[in-house]
Amino acid sequence: MKHRLSFLMVLLLAFVLFLAACSSDDTSAPESTDGEAEEEVEGTEPAEPAGDQTLVFARGGDSVSLDYASVTDGESSRVTKNIYETLIEFDRDSFEIGPGLAHDWEVDDSGLRFVFHLEEGVTFHDGTDFNAEAVKLNFERWADPEHEYAFLDEGYTYSVYGTQFGGYKGDEGHVIEEINVLGDYEIEFVLNQPLGSFLQNMGMSYFAITSPQAFEEHGSAINENPVGTGPFKFVSWSRDDSIILEKNEDYWKEGLPKLDRVIFQVIPDNSARLTALRSGQIDIMDGLNPDDVAQIEGDDSLQVFERATNNIGYLGFHVEKEPFNDPVVRRAFNHAIDKDGLIAILYGGLAETAKNTIPPGYLGYNDGIDEYSYDPELAKELLAEAGIEDGFTFDLWTMPVARPYMPDPQRAAEAIQANLADVGITANIVTKEWATYLEETEQGKHDVFMLGWSGVNGDPDYFFSNLLHGDAIPGGNRSFYSNEEVNDLLVQAKTEVDFDVRAELYEQVQELIHEDAPMVPLVHSIPTLAGSSNVKNYVPHPSTSETLDEVELEN
């Protein structure tokens, strides 16, 4: 069985953003879809749930932290998405927004005042009440470096908050002016300027709500003691092995979750994960090798899941280090790497070459960009122009684990290494443990690194501002690239609500980035997962993190 998420879903994002951008008038949340009837197939009896409702989800790497707002890796949000909840939730297979912990909301005509009406009767896993004060505390924690629960001295940073909301308390660009508690279950956000992606941001897993009592009880150890309102409660974490969650018996959505327990199991090797799936040791595996898709599809005991294309895999330069501080050298790399060959070797056709930072279909995608062609001779000419025609040696940092945009990083690095050798450049492949890799690339210890990014709110700003805006240093901008013209355009695009104007600004941004070449955009992939045939109602979300509350195991 194959569950293909139509690529049109990604195209739908632009339309969703258009609707959000045009919402200068009062708007309200759409009706909840909780009561929609599911389609039934005539003449078939629904399978009985299996007795053991423990689902084992295997992945290539461990989570970095369970404090979702202070990290950017997908392996962390994959887990926290099931523990925590946000005011707004995305649909299960798209970035269309709907009710979450807020069942309704209004925006005034100015687009500067948002009032959220919160669900009543919701409790955190520690038994305390969810309310407007809890929402206020969480947002102030991320915004205010002096907040008692910011934990900056313990190494916590909230770079995504800074990029999504224009900085922090006291910064000129910080768009959230006030947060006012209007009642136990009503809260107001007042902005000092429009923010086109504000409602989309409220659905991002980064901005979920933690129990205030948990901050008081655990302090900076909150990253290992997560307490939310979600369908599953945290039980234990064995580093580089497993994270165990159990059913929240007091969950506020009736009849959910269906599973009793979820185990996120780390199995670094792709083939070993598949072997574990075939033997029944696990139920779902991420990072399926594209070469294995056909045989899985031919096995009635297994099924393949595909996520919508919503990512970029790239090669990033540290643009402050020689010789990568020269854009001519960076362009030479762009011409030296054979992206079609990479896709043929590693992706089995489940990817397309990338020429921009955002995937096709996103608001403002610039299809007019002339992609750097694979041309080794031109690469040599550019290296000669840069005065390094005799070549040089550098360290190519390579991810230690499979990612949705890079199913086999080691083989990809070897292919890139061979391409560069053809133009006289020697790449020493370097790899490190996953958390260390992320930490040290954020600190700028690399020359060139491989990484990628998956969208989590359907808005182009999430890609551009986190990967290439100067304010995301240190943070998601591991290229240490900062072009003032690009920075200014991104701020304009972020605070603009007109759909067409935003699109035009992002198109300009892509032209400048293409010329500067701070990265080699490699691929936009279709990430694949595999599961046992008895796994029901699993829908992989384009963001790479999904709630498992409706998943169940059948006999």
Side-chain angles (χ1 to χ4, degrees):
M1 181 186 299
K2 175 183 286 189
H3 297 254
R4 180 184 293 275
L5 289 179
S6 169
F7 182 70
L8 290 177
M9 289 178 185
V10 176
L11 298 179
L12 179 62
L13 303 179
F15 180 64
V16 171
L17 291 166
F18 171 70
L19 295 179
C22 293
S23 300
S24 57
D25 295 329
D26 285 358
T27 59
S28 299
E31 294 294 325
S32 169
T33 58
D34 287 349
E36 289 183 355
E38 295 183 359
E39 184 178 357
E40 295 184 0
V41 180
E42 187 175 355
T44 62
E45 294 293 333
E48 291 295 326
D52 182 6
Q53 289 292 309
T54 296
L55 181 134
V56 182
F57 191 122
R59 57 213 180 122
D62 200 3
S63 300
V64 174
S65 168
L66 299 182
D67 180 53
Y68 44 85
S70 61
V71 290
T72 60
D73 67 300
E75 295 303 348
S76 293
S77 61
R78 188 193 300 281
V79 176
T80 61
K81 182 68 180 170
N82 287 282
I83 300 172
Y84 294 101
E85 294 174 301
T86 47
L87 297 190
I88 285 176
E89 293 286 347
F90 298 123
D91 277 2
R92 292 187 180 275
D93 57 1
S94 76
F95 289 110
E96 187 168 0
I97 60 175
L101 287 174
H103 59 77
D104 199 3
W105 57 85
E106 297 100 33
V107 189
D108 73 2
D109 290 342
S110 70
L112 299 177
R113 179 176 178 272
F114 295 76
V115 175
F116 293 91
H117 305 279
L118 309 180
E119 288 284 351
E120 299 184 28
V122 177
T123 57
F124 290 103
H125 300 158
D126 57 13
T128 58
D129 291 335
F130 162 76
N131 53 33
E133 290 288 355
V135 176
K136 180 179 172 68
L137 182 145
N138 276 268
F139 275 85
E140 290 183 343
R141 172 196 178 216
W142 305 318
D144 183 1
E146 303 298 323
H147 195 280
E148 64 179 313
Y149 300 136
F151 309 131
L152 300 191
D153 291 340
E154 287 78 16
Y156 286 61
T157 60
Y158 310 102
S159 64
V160 177
Y161 179 91
T163 54
Q164 297 304 119
F165 294 109
Y168 305 92
K169 182 180 179 181
D171 291 347
E172 183 179 352
H174 186 218
V175 301
I176 297 180
E177 183 73 21
E178 297 177 9
I179 302 176
N180 301 310
V181 173
L182 305 182
D184 287 347
Y185 301 101
E186 191 173 81
I187 189 164
E188 174 191 60
F189 286 74
V190 180
L191 310 186
N192 54 34
Q193 57 184 316
L195 183 63
S197 60
F198 183 77
L199 288 176
Q200 296 295 127
N201 289 354
M202 300 302 275
M204 296 169 70
S205 57
Y206 295 103
F207 307 126
I209 308 302
T210 293
S211 161
Q213 179 171 292
F215 288 123
E216 184 174 343
E217 180 177 355
H218 301 292
S220 62
I222 193 69
N223 64 324
E224 295 181 336
N225 297 278
V227 181
T229 61
F232 297 96
K233 301 166 64 172
F234 174 75
V235 175
S236 64
W237 184 1
S238 177
R239 293 279 184 176
D240 297 321
D241 182 39
S242 63
I243 293 175
I244 299 175
L245 310 182
E246 67 180 9
K247 181 177 188 174
N248 176 10
E249 299 287 357
D250 298 320
Y251 190 48
W252 59 283
K253 292 182 180 178
E254 187 175 352
L256 300 178
K258 296 180 179 178
L259 294 170
D260 293 323
R261 180 168 279 223
V262 178
I263 300 173
F264 290 95
Q265 185 73 47
V266 177
I267 303 177
D269 181 73
N270 291 5
S271 298
R273 280 199 304 284
L274 181 55
T275 299
L277 179 65
R278 289 187 182 282
S279 68
Q281 297 176 57
I282 65 174
D283 301 293
I284 297 178
M285 61 164 286
D286 193 14
L288 177 66
N289 279 328
D291 291 345
D292 294 327
V293 169
Q295 60 172 305
I296 299 297
E297 289 179 332
D299 188 334
D300 291 340
S301 68
L302 302 175
Q303 55 185 321
V304 174
F305 304 99
E306 292 182 359
R307 296 188 192 276
T309 299
N310 181 37
N311 58 47
I312 181 173
Y314 66 92
L315 195 69
F317 304 101
H318 193 316
V319 302
E320 295 182 346
K321 291 186 177 179
E322 294 183 348
F324 308 109
N325 58 343
D326 186 344
V328 176
V329 175
R330 303 196 296 260
R331 289 180 206 128
F333 269 59
N334 271 275
H335 284 295
I337 295 173
D338 180 7
K339 291 184 277 189
D340 285 317
L342 197 65
I343 289 172
I345 294 171
L346 296 177
Y347 292 86
L350 294 173
E352 58 183 305
T353 62
K355 62 180 180 180
N356 291 313
T357 309
I358 54 175
Y362 261 68
L363 172 71
Y365 179 82
N366 192 337
D367 201 28
I369 294 292
D370 187 14
E371 185 173 358
Y372 289 110
S373 60
Y374 173 53
D375 190 338
E377 292 306 315
L378 179 54
K380 291 178 183 176
E381 292 177 16
L382 291 171
L383 292 172
E385 180 183 333
I388 48 177
E389 59 271 25
D390 293 332
F392 62 94
T393 299
F394 76 102
D395 286 341
L396 172 60
W397 286 40
T398 306
M399 296 170 290
V401 296
R403 308 303 307 138
Y405 39 78
M406 192 72 69
D408 193 334
Q410 180 64 30
R411 287 178 64 198
E414 291 168 357
I416 291 170
Q417 183 186 50
N419 286 159
L420 294 173
D422 289 341
V423 299
I425 299 172
T426 301
N428 295 322
I429 296 175
V430 173
T431 191
K432 295 172 180 286
E433 186 270 332
W434 181 225
T436 303
Y437 186 88
L438 293 174
E439 179 182 351
E440 295 193 356
T441 51
E442 187 172 307
Q443 295 170 352
K445 295 185 177 180
H446 55 280
D447 295 327
V448 178
F449 66 105
M450 292 169 60
L451 207 58
W453 197 252
S454 298
V456 300
N457 68 348
D459 192 280
D461 182 66
Y462 181 72
F463 282 81
F464 289 121
S465 288
N466 282 289
L467 296 180
L468 294 168
H469 193 291
D471 285 350
I473 304 171
N477 185 348
R478 291 171 165 84
S479 298
F480 290 74
Y481 168 76
S482 184
N483 177 323
E484 286 304 317
E485 189 175 1
V486 169
N487 293 343
D488 291 344
L489 287 169
L490 289 178
V491 171
Q492 290 180 50
K494 180 201 299 282
T495 54
E496 176 59 59
V497 296
D498 183 276
F499 174 83
D500 293 330
V501 175
R502 287 194 82 199
E504 184 178 334
L505 291 167
Y506 285 124
E507 289 177 7
Q508 293 178 46
V509 164
Q510 285 159 91
E511 291 172 2
L512 293 168
I513 291 172
H514 180 73
E515 186 67 16
D516 288 344
M519 61 170 61
V520 180
L522 295 173
V523 300
H524 304 297
S525 73
I526 301 173
T528 53
L529 307 91
S532 299
S533 59
N534 69 332
V535 175
K536 304 300 179 186
N537 305 325
Y538 174 68
V539 180
H541 194 269
S543 69
T544 75
S545 298
E546 52 272 329
T547 304
L548 303 174
D549 58 350
E550 293 189 2
V551 175
E552 62 184 325
L553 303 174
E554 292 182 347
N555 289 319

